[in-house]
Each structure stands twice: as structure tokens, then as C-alpha cells.
Amino acid sequence: MAPSGGVTRSTLRQQIADALRDEVLAGRLRPGREFTVKQIAEQYGVSATPVREALFDLSAQGLLSSDQHRGFQVHEFTIADYRAMVEARSLVVEGIFRSPADQVAVRAEALAPIRRRAAEAVRAAKGGDLDVLIGYDLRFWRELGAFVLNPYITAFLAKLRVQAWVFAVHRLRGERADERVLWFGHEELVEAIAGGDRAEVLAVMQTYYAHALAWADHLEAREARDDREAREAQGTRETREARETCETRGVRETRERPEE
């Protein structure tokens, strides 16, 4: 990503931030991965200043953690973090659609591209294509968010969606793509919004949140099982090593015992 004559520092800063965000969302930069400004600057062949600015931008979005001595690392979201994201999103969206105030302005001309995004997201989800799904899903929610008249709410919801994918992507790589782990309700949500049916919008969203929390429960159970199996394996290994040590010591003592 070498800068050309027409690329400003602010543009370069955004390009680097976008490229790194894509790497994180693709799962190529995994949670806990550490790097420095110098490493990223050398990777993209640019100066340190726009890289530092891009990394601080991603830190402000919650995607990176920074340490004065160790540089930056991809933030590692826990299952508890993910549950909190789902709860925060549900409270905000329900507040929007339950409020008597007119907080949503649905423009009919904007629904056609959102329907296309929804169809592509569902197709990718059913095909298990995570890279395509993440791209369409983020655009789908971003374009839906444009109907919300409060830009701060829109930005907050978009940030939560990106963070949720950062949490999910590397965990989903090991899952079989089906309705247990991926949500297929994009098209239902669009039609509920298009029809102006607030109750149906809330019903679809509640189904979505229930699906997300059920997946969190599944992950928690799986991680607890993996941890238990790892402890059992460690115990078995230590027992075997201890037995082998005792047997070795016994053989050595037998050899060293003087004959009577």
C-alpha cells in the first residue's frame, strides 16, 4: 500500500485502518496477536505517522488494545463481552422501535439495495462463506442504521456489530455453518421494516438476540468441555510420567544394589 502522489496522510491513515480491520475480520489477525507501529509501517511501506494514527483509530473502536511498552494487539473479546454486546444492542434497538417519537425514517428508494444485501448475506450464511457473509452483513446493518435519525446511535450500533464479528470470526472457523451458529433472518427483518410493522421488527430482532445468546451458551459449554478434557489429559500425562519415573528409579536401584 505504497502512497501515491494523490494520497493524503488522512487518506492513507484510513486505508491502513481499513486494511487492518479487514485482516482482523477475516481472522488472519487473531485475538492476542501483537505488533508494533514499525512492523506495520514496514509491511505497507509507509511512514510511521499514518500507521500510528490508524492503530489508535482501531483502538478507539475497541478492535485493538495498546500497551506503552509492548505496542498493539488484537483485542480478545470474551463470551461475557459478547453477551454484553448483544444486550446493549437489544436495549438500544428496542428503545428505538418502542418509542412513540419518530426516530426512524424509512426511505422506500433505499430498501432495494438493502434487500439485495439481505439476500446475499443469507446466501453466504447458508453456504458457510464467512468472508462474503461478514462483508454483506456489515453493509446490511450499516445501511439499515442510516434509517435511524440519531447519528450517535447509528455509530454505536455499527461499532457493536464490528466488535461482535471480531469476537465471532475465529470461533466460527471451527464450526459447521448451519442455523445453529449463523443467523438467516436478514430478509425477514427488511420486510418487517418495509411494512412499517414495529411489532414484527421487534419480534424478528428478539429472535436474532435469542439466537446469538444460544450460540454464546453453546460456546461456553464447548470451552468448558475442552478445558475439562485438557485438564484430564494433563493429569493422565503427569500420572504416566510419575509412574515412568518411579519405574526408572526402581530399575536403577535394583542395578545399583550390591549382591549379597
Side-chain angles (χ1 to χ4, degrees):
M1 190 187 291
S4 65
V7 176
T8 65
R9 196 179 84 185
S10 61
T11 303
L12 192 55
R13 166 185 181 172
Q14 187 61 52
Q15 289 176 339
I16 294 167
D18 290 345
L20 289 173
R21 186 185 300 107
D22 289 345
E23 290 291 297
V24 173
L25 288 172
R28 289 186 287 272
L29 283 178
R30 293 178 64 84
R33 169 74 178 274
E34 296 181 354
F35 45 82
T36 64
V37 171
K38 181 181 179 182
Q39 289 171 333
I40 299 300
E42 290 175 351
Q43 177 181 339
Y44 289 108
V46 298
S47 67
T49 300
V51 170
R52 186 177 295 106
E53 293 170 342
L55 294 178
F56 279 120
D57 287 345
L58 294 177
S59 296
Q61 295 169 27
L63 303 190
L64 302 181
S65 303
S66 61
D67 183 277
Q68 183 177 358
H69 304 291
R70 300 174 64 182
F72 295 83
Q73 67 175 196
V74 180
H75 190 78
E76 196 158 2
F77 292 105
T78 65
I79 295 176
D81 291 329
Y82 179 67
R83 284 199 176 99
M85 293 175 204
V86 175
E87 180 184 15
R89 189 178 175 89
S90 67
L91 290 173
V92 171
V93 172
E94 288 192 16
I96 291 170
F97 282 93
R98 288 190 189 280
S99 172
D102 191 8
Q103 298 188 59
V104 180
V106 177
R107 298 178 300 281
E109 69 278 6
L111 284 172
I114 294 177
R115 282 191 172 99
R116 287 195 296 272
R117 305 273 186 268
E120 292 295 341
V122 172
R123 187 175 298 114
K126 290 182 176 179
D129 191 334
L130 284 180
D131 294 329
V132 173
L133 170 60
I134 292 170
Y136 276 112
D137 181 80
L138 288 175
R139 275 188 278 176
F140 170 81
W141 290 105
R142 185 170 62 246
E143 291 175 13
L144 273 186
F147 292 155
V148 179
L149 299 181
N150 187 319
Y152 294 96
I153 291 177
T154 301
F156 175 70
L157 292 175
K159 177 180 176 180
L160 280 181
R161 191 61 187 157
V162 172
Q163 290 179 348
W165 274 119
V166 173
F167 164 83
V169 64
H170 70 282
R171 290 174 168 89
L172 285 170
R173 296 292 181 192
E175 295 272 12
R176 192 180 75 177
D178 58 26
E179 65 278 1
R180 292 180 306 127
V181 298
L182 297 175
W183 184 65
F184 300 157
H186 300 72
E187 292 170 302
E188 295 174 45
L189 180 58
V190 175
E191 296 314 312
I193 291 174
D197 189 338
R198 289 181 173 236
E200 181 61 20
V201 170
L202 286 173
V204 174
M205 291 302 297
Q206 286 166 355
T207 300
Y208 165 69
Y209 299 132
H211 180 279
L213 292 174
W215 185 57
D217 291 341
H218 162 72
L219 288 176
E220 194 166 57
R222 187 180 70 182
E223 292 184 7
R225 184 186 67 243
D226 291 346
D227 184 58
R228 183 175 64 254
E229 290 175 352
R231 289 198 307 272
E232 290 172 353
Q234 178 66 20
T236 300
R237 184 163 54 251
E238 290 174 352
T239 300
R240 184 176 64 250
E241 290 172 353
R243 184 171 61 247
E244 291 172 351
T245 299
C246 290
E247 290 173 352
T248 301
R249 184 182 300 118
V251 170
R252 186 168 59 247
E253 290 174 350
T254 299
R255 289 175 178 173
E256 294 174 349
R257 186 179 303 130
E259 295 184 2
E260 297 181 357

Coordinates of all heavy atoms in Angstrom, one line a residue, residues 73-143:
Q73 N -2.1 -4.9 20.2 CA -2.6 -6.3 20.0 C -4.0 -6.3 19.7 O -4.8 -5.5 20.1 CB -2.3 -7.2 21.2 CG -3.0 -6.9 22.4 CD -2.7 -7.9 23.5 OE1 -3.5 -8.0 24.5 NE2 -1.7 -8.7 23.4
V74 N -4.5 -7.4 18.9 CA -5.9 -7.5 18.6 C -6.6 -7.8 19.9 O -6.2 -8.7 20.6 CB -6.1 -8.6 17.5 CG1 -7.6 -8.8 17.2 CG2 -5.3 -8.3 16.3
H75 N -7.7 -7.1 20.1 CA -8.4 -7.2 21.4 C -9.1 -8.6 21.4 O -9.6 -9.1 20.4 CB -9.5 -6.2 21.5 CG -10.1 -6.1 22.9 ND1 -9.5 -5.5 24.0 CD2 -11.3 -6.6 23.3 CE1 -10.3 -5.7 25.0 NE2 -11.4 -6.3 24.7
E76 N -9.0 -9.2 22.6 CA -9.6 -10.6 22.8 C -10.9 -10.4 23.6 O -10.9 -10.2 24.8 CB -8.6 -11.4 23.6 CG -8.9 -12.9 23.5 CD -7.7 -13.8 23.7 OE1 -6.6 -13.2 24.0 OE2 -7.8 -15.0 23.7
F77 N -12.0 -10.5 22.8 CA -13.3 -10.4 23.5 C -13.7 -11.8 24.1 O -13.5 -12.8 23.4 CB -14.4 -10.0 22.5 CG -14.2 -8.6 22.0 CD1 -13.7 -8.3 20.7 CD2 -14.5 -7.5 22.8 CE1 -13.5 -7.0 20.2 CE2 -14.4 -6.2 22.3 CZ -13.9 -6.0 21.0
T78 N -14.3 -11.7 25.2 CA -14.7 -13.0 25.9 C -16.2 -13.2 25.6 O -16.9 -12.4 25.0 CB -14.6 -12.8 27.4 OG1 -15.5 -11.8 27.9 CG2 -13.1 -12.5 27.8
I79 N -16.7 -14.4 26.0 CA -18.1 -14.7 25.9 C -18.9 -13.7 26.6 O -20.0 -13.3 26.2 CB -18.4 -16.2 26.3 CG1 -17.6 -17.1 25.3 CG2 -19.9 -16.5 26.3 CD1 -17.8 -18.6 25.7
A80 N -18.4 -13.3 27.8 CA -19.2 -12.3 28.6 C -19.2 -11.0 27.9 O -20.3 -10.3 27.9 CB -18.5 -12.1 30.0
D81 N -18.2 -10.6 27.2 CA -18.2 -9.4 26.4 C -19.3 -9.5 25.3 O -20.0 -8.6 25.0 CB -16.8 -9.2 25.7 CG -15.7 -8.8 26.7 OD1 -16.0 -8.2 27.7 OD2 -14.6 -9.2 26.4
Y82 N -19.3 -10.7 24.6 CA -20.3 -10.9 23.5 C -21.7 -10.8 24.0 O -22.5 -10.2 23.4 CB -20.0 -12.3 22.9 CG -20.9 -12.6 21.8 CD1 -20.9 -11.9 20.6 CD2 -21.8 -13.6 21.9 CE1 -21.7 -12.2 19.5 CE2 -22.7 -14.0 20.8 CZ -22.6 -13.2 19.7 OH -23.5 -13.5 18.6
R83 N -22.0 -11.4 25.2 CA -23.3 -11.3 25.8 C -23.7 -9.9 26.1 O -24.8 -9.4 25.8 CB -23.4 -12.2 27.0 CG -23.5 -13.7 26.8 CD -24.1 -14.3 28.1 NE -24.2 -15.8 27.8 CZ -23.4 -16.7 28.2 NH1 -22.3 -16.4 28.9 NH2 -23.7 -18.0 28.0
A84 N -22.7 -9.1 26.6 CA -22.9 -7.7 26.8 C -23.2 -6.9 25.6 O -24.1 -6.0 25.6 CB -21.7 -7.1 27.6
M85 N -22.5 -7.2 24.5 CA -22.8 -6.6 23.2 C -24.2 -6.9 22.8 O -24.9 -5.9 22.3 CB -21.8 -7.1 22.1 CG -20.4 -6.8 22.3 SD -19.4 -7.7 21.0 CE -17.8 -7.7 21.7
V86 N -24.6 -8.1 22.8 CA -26.0 -8.5 22.4 C -27.0 -7.7 23.3 O -28.0 -7.2 22.8 CB -26.2 -10.0 22.6 CG1 -27.7 -10.4 22.3 CG2 -25.3 -10.8 21.6
E87 N -26.8 -7.7 24.6 CA -27.7 -7.0 25.5 C -27.8 -5.5 25.1 O -28.9 -4.9 25.0 CB -27.3 -7.1 26.9 CG -28.2 -6.4 27.9 CD -27.7 -6.5 29.3 OE1 -26.6 -6.9 29.6 OE2 -28.5 -6.2 30.2
A88 N -26.6 -4.8 24.9 CA -26.6 -3.4 24.6 C -27.3 -3.1 23.3 O -28.1 -2.2 23.2 CB -25.2 -2.9 24.5
R89 N -27.1 -4.0 22.3 CA -27.7 -3.8 21.0 C -29.2 -3.9 21.1 O -30.0 -3.2 20.6 CB -27.1 -4.8 20.0 CG -27.5 -4.6 18.6 CD -26.9 -5.6 17.7 NE -27.3 -5.6 16.4 CZ -26.7 -4.8 15.4 NH1 -25.7 -4.0 15.7 NH2 -27.2 -4.8 14.2
S90 N -29.7 -4.9 21.9 CA -31.1 -5.2 22.0 C -31.8 -4.0 22.7 O -32.9 -3.6 22.3 CB -31.4 -6.5 22.7 OG -30.9 -6.4 24.1
L91 N -31.2 -3.5 23.8 CA -31.8 -2.4 24.5 C -31.9 -1.2 23.7 O -33.0 -0.5 23.7 CB -31.0 -2.1 25.8 CG -31.0 -3.2 26.9 CD1 -30.0 -2.8 28.0 CD2 -32.4 -3.3 27.5
V92 N -30.9 -0.9 22.9 CA -31.0 0.3 22.0 C -32.0 0.2 20.9 O -32.8 1.0 20.7 CB -29.6 0.6 21.4 CG1 -29.7 1.7 20.3 CG2 -28.6 1.0 22.5
V93 N -32.0 -1.0 20.2 CA -32.9 -1.2 19.1 C -34.4 -1.2 19.6 O -35.3 -0.6 19.0 CB -32.6 -2.5 18.3 CG1 -33.7 -2.8 17.3 CG2 -31.3 -2.3 17.6
E94 N -34.6 -1.9 20.7 CA -36.0 -1.9 21.3 C -36.4 -0.6 21.7 O -37.6 -0.2 21.5 CB -36.0 -2.9 22.5 CG -35.9 -4.4 22.0 CD -36.3 -5.3 23.2 OE1 -36.9 -4.9 24.2 OE2 -36.0 -6.5 23.0
G95 N -35.5 0.2 22.3 CA -35.8 1.6 22.6 C -36.2 2.4 21.4 O -37.2 3.2 21.5
I96 N -35.5 2.2 20.3 CA -35.9 3.0 19.1 C -37.3 2.6 18.6 O -38.1 3.5 18.3 CB -34.9 2.6 18.0 CG1 -33.5 3.2 18.3 CG2 -35.3 3.2 16.6 CD1 -32.4 2.7 17.4
F97 N -37.6 1.3 18.5 CA -38.8 0.9 17.9 C -40.0 0.9 18.9 O -41.2 0.8 18.5 CB -38.7 -0.5 17.3 CG -38.0 -0.4 16.0 CD1 -36.6 -0.6 15.9 CD2 -38.7 -0.1 14.8 CE1 -35.9 -0.5 14.7 CE2 -38.0 -0.1 13.6 CZ -36.6 -0.3 13.5
R98 N -39.7 1.0 20.2 CA -40.8 1.1 21.1 C -41.2 2.5 21.4 O -42.3 2.8 22.0 CB -40.5 0.4 22.5 CG -40.4 -1.1 22.4 CD -40.3 -1.7 23.7 NE -40.1 -3.2 23.7 CZ -41.0 -4.1 23.5 NH1 -42.3 -3.7 23.3 NH2 -40.7 -5.4 23.4
S99 N -40.3 3.5 21.1 CA -40.5 4.9 21.4 C -41.7 5.4 20.6 O -41.7 5.2 19.4 CB -39.3 5.7 21.2 OG -39.5 7.0 21.3
P100 N -42.5 6.2 21.2 CA -43.6 6.9 20.4 C -43.0 8.0 19.5 O -43.7 8.4 18.5 CB -44.5 7.5 21.5 CG -43.6 7.7 22.7 CD -42.7 6.6 22.6
A101 N -41.8 8.5 19.8 CA -41.2 9.5 19.0 C -40.8 8.9 17.6 O -40.5 7.7 17.5 CB -40.0 10.1 19.7
D102 N -40.8 9.7 16.6 CA -40.4 9.3 15.3 C -38.9 9.3 15.1 O -38.3 10.3 14.8 CB -41.1 10.2 14.2 CG -40.9 9.6 12.8 OD1 -40.5 8.4 12.7 OD2 -41.3 10.3 11.9
Q103 N -38.3 8.2 15.5 CA -36.8 8.1 15.4 C -36.3 7.4 14.2 O -35.1 7.3 14.0 CB -36.3 7.3 16.7 CG -36.7 8.0 18.0 CD -36.0 7.4 19.1 OE1 -34.8 7.3 19.2 NE2 -36.8 6.9 20.1
V104 N -37.2 6.8 13.4 CA -36.8 6.1 12.2 C -37.5 6.6 11.0 O -38.7 6.9 11.0 CB -37.1 4.6 12.4 CG1 -36.7 3.8 11.1 CG2 -36.5 4.0 13.6
A105 N -36.7 6.9 9.9 CA -37.2 7.4 8.7 C -36.9 6.4 7.6 O -35.7 6.4 7.1 CB -36.7 8.8 8.4
V106 N -37.8 5.6 7.2 CA -37.5 4.5 6.2 C -37.8 5.1 4.8 O -38.9 5.6 4.5 CB -38.4 3.3 6.4 CG1 -38.2 2.3 5.3 CG2 -38.2 2.7 7.8
R107 N -36.8 5.1 4.0 CA -36.9 5.7 2.6 C -37.1 4.5 1.6 O -36.3 3.6 1.6 CB -35.7 6.5 2.2 CG -35.5 7.7 3.2 CD -34.2 8.5 2.8 NE -33.0 7.6 2.9 CZ -32.4 7.3 4.1 NH1 -32.9 7.8 5.2 NH2 -31.3 6.6 4.1
A108 N -38.2 4.5 0.9 CA -38.5 3.4 0.1 C -37.5 3.1 -1.0 O -37.1 2.0 -1.3 CB -39.9 3.7 -0.6
E109 N -36.8 4.2 -1.5 CA -35.8 4.0 -2.5 C -34.6 3.3 -2.0 O -33.8 2.8 -2.8 CB -35.5 5.4 -3.2 CG -34.7 6.3 -2.3 CD -35.6 7.1 -1.3 OE1 -36.8 6.8 -1.3 OE2 -35.1 8.0 -0.7
A110 N -34.4 3.4 -0.7 CA -33.2 2.8 -0.1 C -33.4 1.3 0.2 O -32.4 0.6 0.5 CB -32.8 3.5 1.2
L111 N -34.6 0.8 0.1 CA -34.9 -0.6 0.5 C -34.4 -1.6 -0.5 O -34.0 -2.7 -0.1 CB -36.4 -0.8 0.7 CG -36.9 -0.2 2.1 CD1 -38.4 -0.3 2.1 CD2 -36.3 -0.9 3.2
A112 N -34.4 -1.2 -1.8 CA -34.0 -2.2 -2.8 C -32.5 -2.6 -2.6 O -32.3 -3.9 -2.6 CB -34.1 -1.6 -4.2
P113 N -31.5 -1.8 -2.4 CA -30.2 -2.3 -2.2 C -30.1 -3.0 -0.9 O -29.3 -4.0 -0.8 CB -29.3 -1.0 -2.2 CG -30.3 0.1 -2.0 CD -31.6 -0.3 -2.6
I114 N -30.8 -2.6 0.1 CA -30.8 -3.4 1.4 C -31.3 -4.8 1.2 O -30.8 -5.7 1.8 CB -31.5 -2.6 2.5 CG1 -30.8 -1.3 2.8 CG2 -31.6 -3.4 3.8 CD1 -31.5 -0.4 3.8
R115 N -32.4 -4.9 0.4 CA -32.9 -6.2 0.1 C -31.9 -7.1 -0.6 O -31.7 -8.3 -0.3 CB -34.2 -6.1 -0.8 CG -35.4 -5.7 0.0 CD -36.6 -5.9 -0.9 NE -37.9 -5.7 -0.2 CZ -38.6 -4.6 -0.2 NH1 -38.1 -3.5 -1.0 NH2 -39.7 -4.4 0.4
R116 N -31.1 -6.5 -1.5 CA -30.0 -7.2 -2.2 C -29.0 -7.7 -1.1 O -28.5 -8.8 -1.2 CB -29.4 -6.4 -3.3 CG -30.3 -6.3 -4.5 CD -29.5 -5.8 -5.7 NE -29.0 -4.4 -5.5 CZ -29.7 -3.3 -5.8 NH1 -30.9 -3.4 -6.2 NH2 -29.1 -2.1 -5.6
R117 N -28.6 -6.8 -0.3 CA -27.6 -7.1 0.8 C -28.1 -8.3 1.6 O -27.4 -9.2 2.0 CB -27.3 -5.9 1.7 CG -26.9 -4.7 1.0 CD -25.4 -4.6 0.8 NE -25.1 -3.3 0.2 CZ -25.0 -3.0 -1.1 NH1 -25.3 -3.9 -2.0 NH2 -24.7 -1.8 -1.5
A118 N -29.4 -8.2 2.0 CA -30.0 -9.2 2.8 C -30.0 -10.6 2.1 O -29.6 -11.6 2.7 CB -31.4 -8.9 3.2
A119 N -30.3 -10.6 0.8 CA -30.3 -11.9 0.1 C -28.9 -12.4 0.0 O -28.7 -13.7 0.1 CB -30.9 -11.6 -1.3
E120 N -27.9 -11.6 -0.3 CA -26.6 -12.0 -0.4 C -26.0 -12.5 0.9 O -25.3 -13.5 1.0 CB -25.7 -10.9 -0.9 CG -25.9 -10.5 -2.4 CD -25.6 -11.6 -3.4 OE1 -24.9 -12.6 -3.0 OE2 -26.2 -11.6 -4.5
A121 N -26.4 -11.9 2.0 CA -26.0 -12.3 3.4 C -26.5 -13.7 3.7 O -25.8 -14.5 4.2 CB -26.4 -11.3 4.4
V122 N -27.8 -13.9 3.4 CA -28.4 -15.2 3.7 C -27.8 -16.3 2.8 O -27.5 -17.4 3.3 CB -30.0 -15.1 3.5 CG1 -30.6 -16.5 3.5 CG2 -30.6 -14.2 4.5
R123 N -27.6 -15.9 1.5 CA -26.9 -16.9 0.6 C -25.6 -17.3 1.2 O -25.2 -18.5 1.2 CB -26.8 -16.4 -0.8 CG -26.4 -17.4 -1.8 CD -26.4 -16.8 -3.2 NE -27.8 -16.4 -3.6 CZ -28.2 -15.2 -3.8 NH1 -27.4 -14.2 -3.7 NH2 -29.5 -15.0 -4.1
A124 N -24.8 -16.3 1.6 CA -23.4 -16.6 2.1 C -23.5 -17.4 3.4 O -22.7 -18.3 3.6 CB -22.7 -15.3 2.3
A125 N -24.5 -17.0 4.3 CA -24.6 -17.8 5.5 C -25.0 -19.2 5.3 O -24.4 -20.1 5.9 CB -25.7 -17.1 6.4
K126 N -25.9 -19.5 4.4 CA -26.3 -20.9 4.1 C -25.2 -21.6 3.4 O -25.1 -22.9 3.6 CB -27.6 -20.9 3.3 CG -28.8 -20.4 4.0 CD -30.1 -20.5 3.2 CE -31.3 -20.1 4.0 NZ -32.5 -20.1 3.2
G127 N -24.3 -20.9 2.7 CA -23.2 -21.6 2.1 C -22.0 -21.7 2.9 O -20.9 -22.2 2.5
G128 N -22.0 -21.0 4.1 CA -20.9 -21.1 5.0 C -19.7 -20.3 4.6 O -18.6 -20.5 5.1
D129 N -19.9 -19.3 3.8 CA -18.8 -18.4 3.3 C -18.7 -17.2 4.2 O -19.4 -16.2 4.0 CB -19.1 -18.0 1.8 CG -17.9 -17.3 1.2 OD1 -17.0 -16.8 1.9 OD2 -17.8 -17.4 0.0
L130 N -17.9 -17.3 5.2 CA -17.8 -16.3 6.2 C -17.3 -15.0 5.7 O -17.7 -13.9 6.1 CB -16.9 -16.8 7.4 CG -17.4 -17.8 8.3 CD1 -16.4 -18.1 9.4 CD2 -18.7 -17.2 9.0
D131 N -16.3 -15.0 4.8 CA -15.7 -13.8 4.3 C -16.7 -12.9 3.6 O -16.9 -11.7 3.8 CB -14.5 -14.1 3.4 CG -13.3 -14.7 4.1 OD1 -13.2 -14.3 5.3 OD2 -12.6 -15.5 3.5
V132 N -17.5 -13.6 2.7 CA -18.6 -12.9 2.0 C -19.7 -12.5 3.0 O -20.2 -11.4 2.9 CB -19.2 -13.8 0.9 CG1 -20.4 -13.2 0.2 CG2 -18.1 -14.1 -0.2
L133 N -20.1 -13.4 3.9 CA -21.1 -13.1 4.8 C -20.8 -11.8 5.7 O -21.6 -10.9 5.8 CB -21.3 -14.3 5.8 CG -22.2 -14.0 7.0 CD1 -23.6 -13.6 6.6 CD2 -22.3 -15.2 7.9
I134 N -19.6 -11.7 6.2 CA -19.2 -10.6 7.0 C -19.3 -9.3 6.3 O -19.9 -8.3 6.8 CB -17.8 -10.8 7.6 CG1 -17.8 -11.9 8.6 CG2 -17.3 -9.5 8.3 CD1 -16.4 -12.4 9.1
G135 N -18.8 -9.3 5.0 CA -18.9 -8.1 4.2 C -20.4 -7.6 4.0 O -20.7 -6.5 4.2
Y136 N -21.2 -8.6 3.6 CA -22.6 -8.2 3.3 C -23.4 -7.9 4.6 O -24.2 -7.0 4.6 CB -23.3 -9.3 2.5 CG -23.1 -9.3 1.0 CD1 -22.3 -10.2 0.4 CD2 -23.6 -8.2 0.3 CE1 -22.1 -10.2 -1.0 CE2 -23.4 -8.1 -1.1 CZ -22.6 -9.1 -1.7 OH -22.4 -9.1 -3.1
D137 N -23.1 -8.6 5.6 CA -23.8 -8.4 6.9 C -23.5 -7.0 7.4 O -24.4 -6.3 7.9 CB -23.3 -9.4 7.9 CG -24.1 -9.3 9.3 OD1 -25.2 -9.7 9.4 OD2 -23.4 -8.7 10.2
L138 N -22.2 -6.6 7.4 CA -21.8 -5.3 7.9 C -22.5 -4.2 7.1 O -23.0 -3.2 7.6 CB -20.3 -5.1 7.9 CG -19.6 -5.9 9.0 CD1 -18.1 -5.7 8.9 CD2 -20.0 -5.5 10.4
R139 N -22.5 -4.3 5.8 CA -23.1 -3.3 4.9 C -24.7 -3.3 5.1 O -25.3 -2.3 5.1 CB -22.8 -3.6 3.4 CG -21.5 -3.0 3.0 CD -21.3 -3.1 1.5 NE -20.8 -4.5 1.2 CZ -20.6 -4.9 -0.1 NH1 -20.9 -4.1 -1.1 NH2 -20.2 -6.1 -0.3
F140 N -25.2 -4.5 5.3 CA -26.7 -4.6 5.6 C -27.0 -3.8 6.8 O -27.9 -2.9 6.8 CB -27.0 -6.1 5.8 CG -28.4 -6.3 6.3 CD1 -29.5 -6.3 5.4 CD2 -28.7 -6.6 7.6 CE1 -30.8 -6.5 5.9 CE2 -30.0 -6.8 8.1 CZ -31.0 -6.8 7.2
W141 N -26.3 -4.0 7.9 CA -26.7 -3.3 9.2 C -26.3 -1.8 9.1 O -27.0 -1.0 9.6 CB -26.0 -3.9 10.4 CG -26.5 -5.3 10.7 CD1 -25.9 -6.5 10.4 CD2 -27.8 -5.6 11.3 NE1 -26.8 -7.5 10.9 CE2 -27.9 -7.0 11.4 CE3 -28.8 -4.8 11.8 CZ2 -29.0 -7.6 12.0 CZ3 -29.9 -5.4 12.4 CH2 -30.0 -6.8 12.5
R142 N -25.2 -1.5 8.4 CA -24.9 -0.1 8.2 C -25.9 0.7 7.5 O -26.3 1.8 7.8 CB -23.5 0.0 7.6 CG -23.0 1.5 7.5 CD -21.6 1.5 7.0 NE -21.4 1.0 5.7 CZ -20.7 -0.1 5.4 NH1 -20.1 -0.8 6.4 NH2 -20.5 -0.6 4.2
E143 N -26.4 0.1 6.4 CA -27.5 0.8 5.6 C -28.8 0.8 6.3 O -29.5 1.8 6.2 CB -27.6 0.1 4.2 CG -26.4 0.3 3.4 CD -26.4 -0.5 2.1 OE1 -27.5 -1.0 1.7 OE2 -25.3 -0.6 1.4

